[in-house]
Amino acid sequence: IDTDGGAGDIFVFVSNPEQEQISHEIRWSGTPWGDNFELTAGAYYFNQKIEYIEGRHIFGGLLTQTLGGDVDHTAVGLFVDTTWNINEKWALNLGLRYTDEEKEADISIPTDCVPITTTWSPSCTPSFSDDENWDNIGPAVTLQYFHSDDLNFYASAKRGYRSGGFNIRNSAAFPVSPKYDEETVDTWELGFKADLRDNLRVNASIFRSEYDDLQRVAVQPDSSQRTINAATSIIDGGEVEVYWLANDNFTITANIGFLDGEYDSLDPGALFALNRARLASRSPDGPFGAVTHNDLDLARLPDINYSVTAIYDLPLGESGLVTFRVSTKYVDERWNNDSNLFVLPDYTTVDFSVMYTTADDKWRVTAFGKNVTSADLFTSYTETSLYAYHVIQQPERYGVEISYKF
């Protein structure tokens, strides 16, 4: 991959990841203590083996590096989910999941490997070998109140986890532990679901999510990138969804979301890395000075986003069905990365499609257009000590898809 995108080979890397995985799940569902009590219980097993080698070709080959590692990951889980229909008005849902994870890793930094030259024959002696075990319990509680057949309210509290692990792409100049721990999130939500008329449904909710040991990729003083447990943070938000069945053939759906996030605390090492990037940045939105965690916004978190979709079905009797679909989506501006170096601009996209389906539902032919307004969709801005570049999604495009169902 030519990361600099220029004519010269400033920074080119090749990788050869290999992964094998297997998973099994068994579950049982029933009403062992009467129709008012529903129970689901089960067990889960997962194993994956990852082998990753990366070769770096810098300044046309003046500098070459090889790095990578192997990870063996096993996870075992037990879960139970219950719903107690207390009476016609109230229902209580309780869930619990226990997970035990183990990861074994052998990590090689560039000084451990013979650099790749013209052949793909890396030779590495790992300088870091370790294993780690994590176990966690994830509870979930939801209380529902059914005001009527057309209106219900709910409140929920849940805990979730993001797995800990090891940085395989560890380009440190000397052996250093690439391990990071689990990330935890506690979420509380309040909402309602209402059928206001036979053809109109409105759902709305507000939530708060509190993150602990937030995992972030930080550039270290030796210029290596590593995932670390960097912060605690809070995200507040809300969402409204509307479904309107204008008639038997015409449907409009719309949703709007609001988000507000902040860092509650930031690891001193992570803050140092973020400020180091800010002071050295060449971003067009700069120059930047050093900040505290109170001055930084969470990355890629738009204040507002919304979408509207309209679908019209045109029955053709025994000849089939034609479905017209048009949608628009808006995403507000947001910071590109944790250092707040580049503002990804807001954008609005418009997509459409016309799909013909045969009466037997076997053949489908779809003509479509995506991003037909040619909105500039900046997805990231990346800086290195050598260059900086933007990544942009695909522009306006059209196509035809044909599918057959056997």
mmCIF file of all heavy atoms in Angstrom, residues 262-268 270-272 274-275 278 289-298 338-340:
data_model
loop_
_atom_site.group_PDB
_atom_site.id
_atom_site.type_symbol
_atom_site.label_atom_id
_atom_site.label_comp_id
_atom_site.label_asym_id
_atom_site.label_seq_id
_atom_site.Cartn_x
_atom_site.Cartn_y
_atom_site.Cartn_z
ATOM 1 N N GLU A 262 -17.723 14.320 26.002
ATOM 2 C CA GLU A 262 -16.588 15.007 26.611
ATOM 3 C C GLU A 262 -15.703 14.008 27.334
ATOM 4 O O GLU A 262 -16.143 12.925 27.728
ATOM 5 C CB GLU A 262 -17.057 16.071 27.595
ATOM 6 C CG GLU A 262 -17.826 15.512 28.781
ATOM 7 C CD GLU A 262 -18.290 16.583 29.740
ATOM 8 O OE1 GLU A 262 -18.238 17.771 29.378
ATOM 9 O OE2 GLU A 262 -18.701 16.234 30.862
ATOM 10 N N TYR A 263 -14.436 14.387 27.485
ATOM 11 C CA TYR A 263 -13.520 13.602 28.304
ATOM 12 C C TYR A 263 -13.739 13.953 29.771
ATOM 13 O O TYR A 263 -13.800 15.129 30.144
ATOM 14 C CB TYR A 263 -12.071 13.891 27.937
ATOM 15 C CG TYR A 263 -11.635 13.303 26.621
ATOM 16 C CD1 TYR A 263 -11.440 14.117 25.498
ATOM 17 C CD2 TYR A 263 -11.419 11.939 26.492
ATOM 18 C CE1 TYR A 263 -11.033 13.583 24.292
ATOM 19 C CE2 TYR A 263 -11.015 11.395 25.290
ATOM 20 C CZ TYR A 263 -10.823 12.223 24.188
ATOM 21 O OH TYR A 263 -10.432 11.680 22.993
ATOM 22 N N ASP A 264 -13.839 12.946 30.605
ATOM 23 C CA ASP A 264 -13.917 13.161 32.043
ATOM 24 C C ASP A 264 -12.511 13.217 32.647
ATOM 25 O O ASP A 264 -12.245 13.959 33.592
ATOM 26 C CB ASP A 264 -14.747 12.055 32.697
ATOM 27 C CG ASP A 264 -15.096 12.367 34.131
ATOM 28 O OD1 ASP A 264 -15.477 13.519 34.402
ATOM 29 O OD2 ASP A 264 -14.977 11.465 34.979
ATOM 30 N N SER A 265 -11.612 12.434 32.068
ATOM 31 C CA SER A 265 -10.204 12.464 32.454
ATOM 32 C C SER A 265 -9.390 11.892 31.305
ATOM 33 O O SER A 265 -9.922 11.185 30.444
ATOM 34 C CB SER A 265 -9.951 11.669 33.743
ATOM 35 O OG SER A 265 -10.180 10.288 33.528
ATOM 36 N N LEU A 266 -8.095 12.201 31.301
ATOM 37 C CA LEU A 266 -7.216 11.730 30.231
ATOM 38 C C LEU A 266 -5.875 11.338 30.837
ATOM 39 O O LEU A 266 -5.299 12.088 31.634
ATOM 40 C CB LEU A 266 -7.022 12.836 29.188
ATOM 41 C CG LEU A 266 -6.488 12.453 27.809
ATOM 42 C CD1 LEU A 266 -7.414 11.444 27.138
ATOM 43 C CD2 LEU A 266 -6.373 13.692 26.927
ATOM 44 N N ASP A 267 -5.415 10.141 30.481
ATOM 45 C CA ASP A 267 -4.135 9.653 30.981
ATOM 46 C C ASP A 267 -3.022 10.655 30.627
ATOM 47 O O ASP A 267 -2.975 11.165 29.501
ATOM 48 C CB ASP A 267 -3.837 8.298 30.343
ATOM 49 C CG ASP A 267 -2.486 7.754 30.735
ATOM 50 O OD1 ASP A 267 -2.392 7.167 31.818
ATOM 51 O OD2 ASP A 267 -1.534 7.935 29.941
ATOM 52 N N PRO A 268 -2.131 10.974 31.591
ATOM 53 C CA PRO A 268 -1.070 11.956 31.304
ATOM 54 C C PRO A 268 -0.229 11.606 30.088
ATOM 55 O O PRO A 268 0.141 12.485 29.298
ATOM 56 C CB PRO A 268 -0.232 11.946 32.596
ATOM 57 C CG PRO A 268 -1.183 11.519 33.667
ATOM 58 C CD PRO A 268 -2.112 10.531 33.002
ATOM 59 N N ALA A 270 -1.222 9.865 27.472
ATOM 60 C CA ALA A 270 -2.037 10.094 26.281
ATOM 61 C C ALA A 270 -2.138 11.582 25.979
ATOM 62 O O ALA A 270 -2.060 12.000 24.817
ATOM 63 C CB ALA A 270 -3.427 9.492 26.488
ATOM 64 N N LEU A 271 -2.317 12.412 27.027
ATOM 65 C CA LEU A 271 -2.396 13.862 26.820
ATOM 66 C C LEU A 271 -1.088 14.400 26.255
ATOM 67 O O LEU A 271 -1.093 15.263 25.361
ATOM 68 C CB LEU A 271 -2.743 14.551 28.133
ATOM 69 C CG LEU A 271 -2.902 16.080 28.069
ATOM 70 C CD1 LEU A 271 -4.010 16.462 27.102
ATOM 71 C CD2 LEU A 271 -3.177 16.649 29.451
ATOM 72 N N PHE A 272 0.038 13.886 26.743
ATOM 73 C CA PHE A 272 1.336 14.300 26.209
ATOM 74 C C PHE A 272 1.424 13.972 24.719
ATOM 75 O O PHE A 272 1.884 14.793 23.913
ATOM 76 C CB PHE A 272 2.458 13.616 26.976
ATOM 77 C CG PHE A 272 3.829 13.879 26.404
ATOM 78 C CD1 PHE A 272 4.509 15.038 26.707
ATOM 79 C CD2 PHE A 272 4.419 12.951 25.550
ATOM 80 C CE1 PHE A 272 5.777 15.274 26.173
ATOM 81 C CE2 PHE A 272 5.673 13.182 25.008
ATOM 82 C CZ PHE A 272 6.352 14.356 25.324
ATOM 83 N N LEU A 274 -1.056 13.558 22.572
ATOM 84 C CA LEU A 274 -1.981 14.392 21.798
ATOM 85 C C LEU A 274 -1.418 15.803 21.629
ATOM 86 O O LEU A 274 -1.500 16.391 20.533
ATOM 87 C CB LEU A 274 -3.338 14.443 22.497
ATOM 88 C CG LEU A 274 -4.099 13.115 22.605
ATOM 89 C CD1 LEU A 274 -5.422 13.315 23.327
ATOM 90 C CD2 LEU A 274 -4.334 12.509 21.227
ATOM 91 N N ASN A 275 -0.851 16.374 22.690
ATOM 92 C CA ASN A 275 -0.282 17.717 22.585
ATOM 93 C C ASN A 275 0.955 17.732 21.694
ATOM 94 O O ASN A 275 1.204 18.699 20.966
ATOM 95 C CB ASN A 275 0.058 18.257 23.970
ATOM 96 C CG ASN A 275 -1.150 18.861 24.664
ATOM 97 O OD1 ASN A 275 -2.003 19.477 24.020
ATOM 98 N ND2 ASN A 275 -1.247 18.677 25.971
ATOM 99 N N ARG A 278 -0.366 17.974 18.301
ATOM 100 C CA ARG A 278 -0.948 19.302 18.036
ATOM 101 C C ARG A 278 0.147 20.323 17.736
ATOM 102 O O ARG A 278 0.046 21.121 16.794
ATOM 103 C CB ARG A 278 -1.780 19.761 19.234
ATOM 104 C CG ARG A 278 -3.080 18.993 19.421
ATOM 105 C CD ARG A 278 -3.794 19.442 20.683
ATOM 106 N NE ARG A 278 -4.181 20.846 20.630
ATOM 107 C CZ ARG A 278 -5.290 21.319 20.076
ATOM 108 N NH1 ARG A 278 -6.142 20.476 19.513
ATOM 109 N NH2 ARG A 278 -5.560 22.611 20.084
ATOM 110 N N GLY A 289 -2.194 24.903 19.911
ATOM 111 C CA GLY A 289 -1.397 24.963 21.118
ATOM 112 C C GLY A 289 -1.704 23.777 22.014
ATOM 113 O O GLY A 289 -2.595 22.964 21.730
ATOM 114 N N ALA A 290 -0.967 23.672 23.099
ATOM 115 C CA ALA A 290 -1.195 22.596 24.066
ATOM 116 C C ALA A 290 -2.515 22.840 24.797
ATOM 117 O O ALA A 290 -2.936 23.986 25.027
ATOM 118 C CB ALA A 290 -0.046 22.522 25.045
ATOM 119 N N VAL A 291 -3.183 21.764 25.173
ATOM 120 C CA VAL A 291 -4.498 21.850 25.800
ATOM 121 C C VAL A 291 -4.570 20.867 26.967
ATOM 122 O O VAL A 291 -3.690 20.032 27.169
ATOM 123 C CB VAL A 291 -5.622 21.534 24.789
ATOM 124 C CG1 VAL A 291 -5.686 22.563 23.680
ATOM 125 C CG2 VAL A 291 -5.423 20.126 24.200
ATOM 126 N N THR A 292 -5.654 20.962 27.738
ATOM 127 C CA THR A 292 -5.991 19.959 28.743
ATOM 128 C C THR A 292 -7.146 19.126 28.218
ATOM 129 O O THR A 292 -7.709 19.422 27.150
ATOM 130 C CB THR A 292 -6.390 20.626 30.067
ATOM 131 O OG1 THR A 292 -7.650 21.300 29.893
ATOM 132 C CG2 THR A 292 -5.332 21.620 30.524
ATOM 133 N N HIS A 293 -7.537 18.094 28.964
ATOM 134 C CA HIS A 293 -8.622 17.229 28.484
ATOM 135 C C HIS A 293 -9.935 17.994 28.364
ATOM 136 O O HIS A 293 -10.812 17.621 27.567
ATOM 137 C CB HIS A 293 -8.782 16.024 29.407
ATOM 138 C CG HIS A 293 -9.405 16.332 30.723
ATOM 139 N ND1 HIS A 293 -8.676 16.744 31.824
ATOM 140 C CD2 HIS A 293 -10.710 16.299 31.133
ATOM 141 C CE1 HIS A 293 -9.490 16.938 32.841
ATOM 142 N NE2 HIS A 293 -10.719 16.662 32.456
ATOM 143 N N ASN A 294 -10.096 19.085 29.132
ATOM 144 C CA ASN A 294 -11.335 19.858 29.062
ATOM 145 C C ASN A 294 -11.484 20.600 27.740
ATOM 146 O O ASN A 294 -12.591 21.025 27.387
ATOM 147 C CB ASN A 294 -11.384 20.864 30.215
ATOM 148 C CG ASN A 294 -11.505 20.189 31.572
ATOM 149 O OD1 ASN A 294 -12.264 19.236 31.717
ATOM 150 N ND2 ASN A 294 -10.754 20.666 32.551
ATOM 151 N N ASP A 295 -10.371 20.799 27.021
ATOM 152 C CA ASP A 295 -10.404 21.554 25.763
ATOM 153 C C ASP A 295 -10.614 20.664 24.545
ATOM 154 O O ASP A 295 -10.808 21.181 23.434
ATOM 155 C CB ASP A 295 -9.091 22.326 25.588
ATOM 156 C CG ASP A 295 -8.811 23.250 26.757
ATOM 157 O OD1 ASP A 295 -9.726 23.994 27.141
ATOM 158 O OD2 ASP A 295 -7.679 23.201 27.294
ATOM 159 N N LEU A 296 -10.558 19.360 24.716
ATOM 160 C CA LEU A 296 -10.649 18.438 23.586
ATOM 161 C C LEU A 296 -12.057 17.871 23.436
ATOM 162 O O LEU A 296 -12.731 17.585 24.429
ATOM 163 C CB LEU A 296 -9.666 17.277 23.767
ATOM 164 C CG LEU A 296 -8.179 17.621 23.674
ATOM 165 C CD1 LEU A 296 -7.343 16.435 24.123
ATOM 166 C CD2 LEU A 296 -7.812 18.024 22.247
ATOM 167 N N ASP A 297 -12.483 17.719 22.190
ATOM 168 C CA ASP A 297 -13.749 17.054 21.883
ATOM 169 C C ASP A 297 -13.475 15.614 21.462
ATOM 170 O O ASP A 297 -12.412 15.308 20.898
ATOM 171 C CB ASP A 297 -14.485 17.771 20.745
ATOM 172 C CG ASP A 297 -14.976 19.152 21.156
ATOM 173 O OD1 ASP A 297 -15.355 19.303 22.328
ATOM 174 O OD2 ASP A 297 -14.954 20.067 20.316
ATOM 175 N N LEU A 298 -14.443 14.740 21.714
ATOM 176 C CA LEU A 298 -14.310 13.366 21.245
ATOM 177 C C LEU A 298 -14.331 13.336 19.724
ATOM 178 O O LEU A 298 -15.094 14.060 19.077
ATOM 179 C CB LEU A 298 -15.446 12.509 21.797
ATOM 180 C CG LEU A 298 -15.431 12.274 23.310
ATOM 181 C CD1 LEU A 298 -16.651 11.478 23.731
ATOM 182 C CD2 LEU A 298 -14.169 11.554 23.742
ATOM 183 N N ASP A 338 -8.325 12.283 17.811
ATOM 184 C CA ASP A 338 -8.331 12.633 19.225
ATOM 185 C C ASP A 338 -7.574 13.925 19.514
ATOM 186 O O ASP A 338 -7.865 14.607 20.500
ATOM 187 C CB ASP A 338 -7.732 11.486 20.050
ATOM 188 C CG ASP A 338 -8.583 10.229 19.973
ATOM 189 O OD1 ASP A 338 -9.807 10.349 20.090
ATOM 190 O OD2 ASP A 338 -8.017 9.139 19.786
ATOM 191 N N SER A 339 -6.592 14.270 18.680
ATOM 192 C CA SER A 339 -5.848 15.509 18.886
ATOM 193 C C SER A 339 -6.613 16.737 18.409
ATOM 194 O O SER A 339 -6.157 17.866 18.619
ATOM 195 C CB SER A 339 -4.491 15.447 18.160
ATOM 196 O OG SER A 339 -3.677 14.423 18.686
ATOM 197 N N ASN A 340 -7.766 16.531 17.742
ATOM 198 C CA ASN A 340 -8.574 17.635 17.194
ATOM 199 C C ASN A 340 -7.746 18.483 16.230
ATOM 200 O O ASN A 340 -7.592 19.701 16.399
ATOM 201 C CB ASN A 340 -9.126 18.508 18.313
ATOM 202 C CG ASN A 340 -10.170 17.830 19.177
ATOM 203 O OD1 ASN A 340 -10.695 18.392 20.115
ATOM 204 N ND2 ASN A 340 -10.497 16.584 18.843
#
